[in-house]
């Protein structure tokens, strides 16, 4: 009997609200190996993680930082991911969570839109499959209390 190859899934923002929930769910699948990239991890680790990955689920991002400069993380990390994929000539699919706010005129929306543009360029130039999901406010298990509101 031949054992199926495991699917190595890199989750950026694996300790965040969506990442934590997704990691728990995917860990229930016997043929999926989760590679976690979290705040504070190095570029060297990111490059190594990308090299080991078959798929990237890019969830990392800032949405309510104390300092507005932190919004740059939303596109800097995405730019690094795209750069490492190009350098390593990896043709792996990427799933990216953006925001329905990208049509607004604020630093958060501009940072998410910039990240989308990096990924769209990667898809066009390198033929990587890129799926961008613009999520509205999300709620659920491990959501920060008094963080989002329902209208």
């Amino acid at each position: 009997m031949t054992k199926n190859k495991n699917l190595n899934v890199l989750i950026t923002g694996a300790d965040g609200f969506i990442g934590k929930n997704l990691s728990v769910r995917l860990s229930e699948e016997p043929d999926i190996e989760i590679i976690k990239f979290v705040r504070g991890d190095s570029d060297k680790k990111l490059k190594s993680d990308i090299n080991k990955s078959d798929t990237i689920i890019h969830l990392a991002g800032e949405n309510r930082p104390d300092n507005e400069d932190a919004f740059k993380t939303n596109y800097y990390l995405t730019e690094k991911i795209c750069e490492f994929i190009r350098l390593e000539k990896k043709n792996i699919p990427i799933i990216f969570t953006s925001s329905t706010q990208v049509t607004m005129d604020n630093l958060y929306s501009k940072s998410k839109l910039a990240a989308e543009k990096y990924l769209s360029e990667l898809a066009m130039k390198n033929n990587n499959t890129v799926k961008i999901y613009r999520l509205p406010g999300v709620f659920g298990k491990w959501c920060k209390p008094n963080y989002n509101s329902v209208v």
Side-chain angles (χ1 to χ4, degrees):
M1 178 179 272
T2 306
K3 184 179 184 315
N4 289 339
K5 178 185 180 287
N6 283 344
L7 179 68
N8 296 315
V9 177
L10 170 59
I11 301 175
T12 67
D15 286 347
F17 168 55
I18 296 173
K20 189 174 186 179
N21 279 283
L22 181 62
S23 295
V24 167
R25 173 59 187 95
L26 290 182
S27 69
E28 296 169 358
E29 297 297 324
D31 295 332
I32 294 179
E33 294 292 326
I34 300 168
I35 302 167
K36 295 181 179 183
F37 185 83
V38 299
R39 186 184 316 266
D41 285 348
S42 68
D43 288 355
K44 183 178 178 180
K45 181 179 183 319
L46 178 63
K47 189 173 184 178
S48 173
D49 289 349
I50 289 171
N51 282 327
K52 293 184 262 183
S53 300
D54 301 307
T55 299
I56 298 172
I57 302 176
H58 182 24
L59 305 172
E62 289 284 351
N63 67 347
R64 292 188 185 179
D66 293 330
N67 179 345
E68 289 182 344
D69 280 346
F71 283 126
K72 293 176 183 175
T73 301
N74 291 334
Y75 55 90
Y76 282 156
L77 181 59
T78 306
E79 182 182 32
K80 286 273 185 213
I81 290 168
C82 294
E83 177 185 329
F84 291 152
I85 288 171
R86 278 193 295 271
L87 287 172
E88 299 299 321
K89 296 181 170 85
K90 286 200 62 121
N91 191 332
I92 58 175
I94 302 170
I95 298 168
F96 175 64
T97 55
S98 188
S99 171
T100 55
Q101 291 189 33
V102 294
T103 59
M104 297 179 169
D105 186 24
N106 60 54
L107 291 175
Y108 172 69
S109 62
K110 289 176 184 178
S111 70
K112 293 302 265 188
L113 190 58
E116 286 185 16
K117 288 180 182 177
Y118 283 124
L119 290 165
S120 295
E121 185 178 294
L122 178 74
M124 286 190 309
K125 290 183 178 178
N126 287 40
N127 205 30
N128 288 77
T129 299
V130 172
K131 300 291 182 187
I132 297 171
Y133 294 94
R134 291 181 175 170
L135 304 178
V138 290
F139 307 92
K141 188 175 182 179
W142 299 309
C143 183
K144 293 180 184 177
N146 305 314
Y147 193 70
N148 292 323
S149 62
V150 178
V151 178

